[in-house]
Amino acid sequence: MNSIFETIKSVAFDIDHAIKTADLGYSDSENSSGEDQLKLDVQSDIIIEKAFASVSVVKNLVSEEKEGVMELNENGTYTICYDPLDGSSLVDVNLSVGSIFGIYKGELQGSNLVASAYVVYGPRIELVIAEKGKKPLLYRVIAGEFKEVGEVFMDEKGKLNAPGGTQQNWSTTHKTFVDSLFAEGYRLRYSGGMVPDLHQIMLKGGGLFSYPGTTDKPDGKLRQLFEVIPFAFMYEQAGGQAINNKGMRLMELVPSHPHDTSPCFFGSNYEVNALKSAYGIEN
Ligand code: F6P
C-alpha cells in the first residue's frame, strides 16, 4: 500500500503544477457523467494513469473521467477509483480543488474499500490518508516535501453547515432541517468543491456536509466510487458518520455502475443524528 501512497504524493505535485500553469479551456469531449471535460481534468487524469502504470500492486484503475475499468497489472491486488480533479471548474475563479482516491480490494463496493486519500490544492497542498483501524493522517507540503502533521478527528458536534444542490429542488424535509441548523447557530461554509468543503469540516472539528437527492437529481450528484465512499471512510475513521437519505452507511453502498451517484450526508455525530431524526430514520 505504501507504493500507492507514495505515488499519490508524487502526482499531487504534478497536478498542482498543472493547475498553476496549464491552459484552463475545455477539451473537445465530455466525461462519463455527461459533463464537458476541462483540459485540466484530462491532463490530471493522464498524470495519474501514467504514474500508477508502474505500481505493480495496482490491478485496475477506474477514473471519473473515463468509461469502464482500465487493467494495469494482471497480478496486482488493488483497484484505484479516482476523481483526478474534483471541482475543476473552480480553478477558473482561483478556489481550492482536489483529487480523491478510493483503494478497493475485490469487487467495487463500499465494504471492499481498504483505504482512501485525497489531496487539496489550495494556498498549500495538503493530503489526507485514511487506513482501516487508524485515524486519518494529515500531511502538508513543507519545504517541497509532504510532512506528517498529525491525526484528524472530529468532535461530537461542530459549527459548520455545507448544504449542496439547488435549494429550489430540495425536499421540504431537507429544507426544514437545513434551516433548523442555521437557527441553532451553524455557519454556512460551501465553496462548491467537495474536497475543500469536506476537508474544512473535518479539520475544524465537525459540522455537516449534505448533498441530498433533489427533484432534478433524485440520486444526488456525487459519485459513489470516486467521491462518496472514499469520503465516507474518511469521516468514519475520523469518528464521524456518513449515511444516505435512508440512514444506510455509505460504506454499505454497492454501485451497479462505476458512475452511479447517491444522496449523501457526512458529519459529526450530533448533526448526523439530528438529520436522522428530521428524516424520520431510527437512531
Ligand atoms: O462533483 C462535482 C462537484 O463540483 C463537487 O466537488 C461539489 O461538492 C458539487 O459538485 C457541487 O455541486 P452543486 O453546485 O450542485 O452544489
Side-chain angles (χ1 to χ4, degrees):
M1 195 80 80
N2 219 33
S3 55
I4 295 177
F5 298 143
E6 289 308 309
T7 307
I8 290 174
K9 288 178 187 171
S10 105
V11 299
F13 285 109
D14 294 342
I15 294 175
D16 186 67
H17 179 74
I19 291 169
K20 294 195 161 84
T21 54
D23 179 348
L24 297 184
Y26 285 94
S27 69
D28 296 328
S29 47
E30 282 186 346
N31 68 14
S32 306
S33 307
E35 295 161 344
D36 288 332
Q37 278 180 309
L38 288 162
K39 286 183 184 162
L40 252 185
D41 288 313
V42 177
Q43 203 177 330
S44 305
D45 192 26
I46 294 168
I47 290 171
I48 293 173
E49 187 188 310
K50 277 194 183 151
F52 278 116
S54 56
V55 181
S56 59
V57 292
V58 180
K59 188 176 172 63
N60 297 315
L61 289 181
V62 185
S63 167
E64 200 257 336
E65 294 301 325
K66 285 198 211 74
E67 197 56 59
V69 176
M70 168 186 271
E71 186 174 303
L72 278 190
N73 299 295
E74 208 185 331
N75 300 319
T77 311
Y78 303 105
T79 297
I80 303 187
C81 298
Y82 64 96
D83 186 347
L85 202 60
D86 188 79
S88 52
S89 62
L90 296 174
V91 174
D92 278 353
V93 290
N94 212 9
L95 285 178
S96 298
V97 291
S99 303
I100 314 168
F101 302 86
I103 301 153
Y104 297 81
K105 192 172 174 184
E107 296 296 311
L108 298 179
Q109 58 190 56
S111 58
N112 287 337
L113 184 120
V114 292
S116 70
Y118 66 84
V119 181
V120 190
Y121 310 99
R124 312 182 203 206
I125 312 177
E126 295 195 336
L127 163 71
V128 182
I129 294 178
E131 288 183 88
K132 274 204 170 129
K134 298 181 192 170
K135 289 271 177 271
L137 285 176
L138 170 67
Y139 298 81
R140 231 171 234 153
V141 173
I142 299 168
E145 265 180 63
F146 276 103
K147 300 259 164 58
E148 192 182 309
V149 179
E151 291 183 340
V152 179
F153 45 88
M154 299 181 67
D155 297 335
E156 275 299 296
K157 182 178 190 303
K159 297 185 179 119
L160 307 182
N161 188 15
T166 310
Q167 294 199 24
Q168 202 183 19
N169 301 331
W170 289 351
S171 67
T172 313
T173 305
H174 189 67
K175 176 147 181 39
T176 307
F177 172 65
V178 171
D179 288 348
S180 74
L181 286 182
F182 287 127
E184 258 190 70
Y186 281 79
R187 279 182 243 130
L188 174 66
R189 290 291 183 270
Y190 193 78
S191 72
M194 178 188 198
V195 178
D197 287 339
L198 281 162
H199 185 62
Q200 174 166 216
I201 290 173
M202 266 207 327
L203 262 62
K204 293 204 168 158
L208 188 78
F209 175 99
S210 45
Y211 207 109
T214 51
T215 48
D216 56 333
K217 293 185 178 113
D219 292 324
K221 177 184 185 191
L222 302 178
R223 293 126 185 126
Q224 299 182 22
L225 285 178
F226 318 103
E227 297 172 307
V228 173
I229 296 170
F231 266 110
F233 185 76
M234 282 283 165
Y235 266 58
E236 288 195 352
Q237 297 298 307
Q241 297 184 48
I243 61 167
N244 71 3
N245 53 323
K246 307 266 186 305
M248 187 179 102
R249 286 175 60 234
L250 297 169
M251 290 305 295
E252 287 169 10
L253 287 170
V254 181
S256 40
H257 182 275
H259 293 270
D260 279 355
T261 59
S262 171
C264 51
F265 305 93
F266 306 84
S268 30
N269 289 319
Y270 173 85
E271 293 82 3
V272 177
N273 290 339
L275 177 115
K276 286 180 190 164
S277 304
Y279 270 67
I281 297 162
E282 262 181 52
N283 261 317

